[in-house]
């Protein structure tokens, strides 16, 4: 049998056009699963979006699409719903929506968005996570919105995975927000087999998705990078539609204001990569380091280096002088110079005292002052938000153990005792930064005419070396700009500007 | 806008050179085309605005409705036709490697 070698197909970016998918064989492949360790990333580690909102491992994510569905396709969906109880067409699905592993207790919760037949005479947009398919409906969440899909009309679809807030079996909250043409949707459970299968009473899916850290082996696995992530296709189920202005936000939850600005009265916002009006999901996002929690005593003279968005680095040095927490001669945030160099004083006297004192030092006379704002989610934790936003700042934003006078030294036991995610003395760690992936450019490679994903990623090899689970997955992360491939779609000049 | 028809290629009936010629006139590639259960037939998409060589003459051409009807048959269902997808074995392997406190 002939073996077909992988090849790529050169296609232009959207740029004022759309792609018509024929509903027969066309789709857009987001090029996941590339076996290339140099571009690994935790960005698309799917279970992170489906966790309890308060989990330190939860990260939101958002999608936007503009689609136009031919009347014949809507008719086909409604007819299928009537005849078979199904009636479901993919807008986008991630591979996890299709596979189970390890038996009934385990499901890969890929996220997915669909056109579905809601009753026999309506087509709605549905979004969810978990497996799609008849065999294991109990392992899936799928909800459809309240706005009917209009034939041959451009529609803006935004979906945000916001984290679940209630996982009991009665009031289960899937943590999904949806907007159609900027209107927030009321979500209703959808059962592809046409009957109430009781799937919503079987949660949580698996305790692993609601608690505990992500497995590094999974995060580092390349198939999590948009693996099997297709637009307009799920296995042999293809959708006939025009599609344009696709965007994905990692670690960002679209808001009502964002969506309204993106909708732009029906004239899709031209550039999502910078803030515009009420839209704050551009790359001008102030990065926040959440959930740095302290337990026990840091190592005396242990040092954090904190670099703010402007690139200003300061070394914060912990002084222990017992229960009083008052090192003689220095106040929190005061500059200290000795034979090893200059640092900013931080007292500690146990976990709670460490957290409060570290925050005080950051805003002290020699600290970062207004460029980094600390807050206390709990008495033993600290949240740091940089006030100078922007892509450069975000990339530089970091915190890591440091040995004064000799540069960074993650192998120094004293430093890692303070910082290490695993040691028990310092838990939590830096959170990944908000990013956007827009499949409409600006092209990251001007010479490449394919549909491209413009991504931003942290260079963890220099900024966040081996400091937490999250950063582990960012090892050697470079810009994740694998181009999406259009498999047989047709470029058209049709574009979502006609609703003005 | 370009119109299309669809053709089905039974690959065992053609040489590599002939397959390449088919592909060069179509808008999709064998690598990403839909195929039937036993992977002997592939679906290609043929634009109507370009001339095609004689090799296409014996092939039945289908419009969108016709091909959708054909693809709904058992022969073409339940096959994941994407060569870019990750296999279940890949996922199982990763699953087995998970740490106890991970998932």
């Amino acid at each position: 049998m002939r073996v077909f070698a992988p090849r790529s197909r050169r296609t232009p970016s959207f740029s004022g056009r759309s792609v018509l998918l024929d509903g027969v064989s066309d789709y857009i492949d987001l090029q996941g699963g590339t076996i290339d360790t140099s571009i690994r990333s935790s960005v698309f580690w799917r279970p992170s979006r489906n966790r309890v909102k308060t989990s330190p491992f939860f990260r939101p994510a958002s999608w936007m699409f503009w689609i136009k569905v031919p009347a014949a396709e809507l008719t086909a969906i409604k007819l299928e719903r009537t005849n078979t109880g199904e009636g479901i067409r993919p807008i986008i699905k991630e591979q996890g929506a299709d596979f189970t592993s390890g038996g009934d207790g385990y499901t890969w919760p890929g996220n997915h968005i669909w056109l579905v037949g809601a009753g026999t005479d309506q087509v709605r947009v549905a979004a969810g996570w978990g497996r799609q398919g008849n065999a294991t409906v109990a392992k899936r969440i799928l909800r459809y919105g309240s706005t009917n899909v209009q034939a041959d009309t451009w529609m803006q679809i935004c979906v945000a995975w916001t984290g679940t807030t209630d996982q009991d079996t009665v009031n289960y909250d899937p943590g999904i927000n949806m907007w159609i043409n900027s209107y927030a949707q009321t979500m209703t459970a959808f059962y592809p087999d046409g009957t109430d299968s009781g799937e919503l009473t079987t949660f949580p899916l698996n305790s692993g998705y609601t608690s505990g850290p992500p497995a590094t082996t999974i995060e580092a696995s390349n198939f999590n990078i948009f693996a099997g992530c297709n637009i307009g296709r799920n296995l042999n189920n293809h959708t006939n539609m025009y599609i344009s202005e696709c965007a994905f936000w990692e670690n960002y939850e679209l808001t009502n204001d964002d969506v309204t600005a993106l909708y732009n009265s029906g004239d899709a916002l031209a550039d999502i990569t910078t803030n515009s009006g009420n839209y704050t999901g551009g790359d001008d996002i102030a990065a926040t380091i959440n959930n740095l929690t302290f337990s026990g005593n840091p190592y005396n003279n242990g040092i954090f280096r904190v670099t703010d968005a402007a690139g200003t680095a300061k070394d914060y040095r912990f002084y222990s002088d017992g229960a009083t927490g008052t090192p003689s001669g220095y106040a929190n945030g005061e500059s200290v110079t000795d034979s090893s160099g200059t640092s900013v004083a931080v007292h500690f006297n146990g976990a709670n005292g460490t957290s409060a004192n570290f925050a005080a030092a950051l805003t002290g006379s020699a600290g970062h002052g207004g460029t980094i704002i600390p807050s206390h989610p709990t008495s033993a934790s600290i949240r740091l938000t940089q006030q100078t936003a922007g892509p450069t700042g975000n990339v530089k934003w970091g915190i890591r153990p440091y040995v004064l006078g000799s540069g960074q030294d993650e192998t120094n036991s004293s430093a890692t005792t303070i910082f290490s995610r695993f040691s028990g003395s310092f838990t939590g760690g830096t959170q990944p930064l908000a990013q956007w992936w827009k499949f409409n450019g600006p092209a990251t490679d001007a010479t490449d005419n394919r549909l491209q994903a413009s991504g931003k990623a942290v260079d963890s090899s220099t900024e966040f070396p081996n400091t937490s689970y999250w950063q582990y997955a960012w090892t050697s992360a470079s810009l994740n700009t694998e181009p999406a491939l259009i498999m047989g779609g047709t470029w058209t000049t049709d574009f979502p500007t006609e609703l003005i | 806008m370009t119109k299309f028809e669809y053709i089905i290629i039974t690959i065992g009936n053609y040489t590599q050179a002939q397959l390449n010629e088919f592909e060069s006139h179509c808008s999709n590639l064998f690598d990403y085309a839909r195929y039937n259960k036993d992977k002997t037939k592939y679906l290609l998409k043929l634009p109507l605005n370009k001339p095609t060589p004689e090799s296409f003459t014996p092939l039945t051409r289908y419009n969108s409705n016709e091909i959708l009807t054909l693809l709904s048959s058992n022969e073409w269902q339940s096959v994941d036709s994407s060569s870019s997808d990750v296999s279940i074995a890949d996922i199982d392997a990763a699953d087995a490697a998970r740490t106890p406190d991970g998932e």
Side-chain angles (χ1 to χ4, degrees), chain A residues 118-331:
Chain A
T120 58
D121 59 350
Q122 299 165 339
V123 173
R124 304 274 177 85
V125 178
W129 47 277
R131 190 180 188 200
Q132 189 278 323
N134 292 327
T136 317
V137 292
K139 299 298 187 298
R140 178 187 56 245
I141 280 290
L142 192 55
R143 302 284 177 93
Y144 63 80
S146 45
T147 297
N148 291 338
V149 176
Q150 302 297 316
D152 301 311
T153 304
W154 279 108
M155 300 180 72
Q156 179 213 38
I157 298 168
C158 292
V159 179
W161 278 265
T162 63
T164 63
T165 56
D166 188 342
Q167 290 201 312
D168 68 41
T169 57
V170 178
N171 300 308
Y172 184 77
D173 165 33
I176 299 171
N177 291 340
M178 180 190 291
W179 299 261
I180 304 293
N181 292 343
S182 77
Y183 288 103
Q185 300 290 291
T186 300
M187 306 297 281
T188 303
F190 178 80
Y191 303 102
D193 60 1
T195 59
D196 184 342
S197 60
E199 61 187 308
L200 301 183
T201 64
T202 61
F203 280 81
L205 286 173
N206 179 296
S207 60
Y209 291 130
T210 57
S211 62
T216 55
T217 53
I218 297 300
E219 280 198 319
S221 298
N222 290 289
F223 59 75
N224 286 301
I225 308 170
F226 277 144
C229 191
N230 295 161
I231 294 173
R233 169 183 174 267
N234 178 47
L235 303 179
N236 280 328
N237 187 3
H238 293 251
T239 306
N240 180 205
M241 63 180 175
Y242 295 81
I243 190 157
S244 185
E245 292 298 308
C246 313
F248 175 79
W249 290 261
E250 157 65 13
N251 205 30
Y252 187 75
E253 183 179 319
L254 285 174
T255 66
N256 286 327
D257 283 347
D258 287 334
V259 172
T260 299
L262 290 164
Y263 182 64
N264 197 28
S265 301
D267 183 7
L269 189 66
D271 180 11
I272 70 161
T273 64
T274 57
N275 291 347
S276 176
N278 291 328
Y279 169 60
T280 59
D283 60 4
D284 191 24
I285 297 169
T288 297
I289 297 177
N290 281 314
N291 196 47
L292 300 178
T293 56
F294 295 84
S295 62
N297 291 323
Y299 172 71
N300 193 33
N301 289 319
I303 295 173
F304 279 125
R305 167 159 287 193
V306 178
T307 305
D308 69 13
T312 301
K314 293 179 180 293
D315 300 322
Y316 292 83
R317 186 171 182 172
F318 289 88
Y319 289 97
S320 170
D321 65 349
T324 62
T326 309
S328 58
Y330 299 114

Side-chain angles (χ1 to χ4, degrees), chain A residues 1 54 99 117 160 190 216 218 400:
Chain A
M1 180 174 294
T54 54
F99 293 105
F190 178 80
T216 55
I218 297 300
R400 63 189 182 192

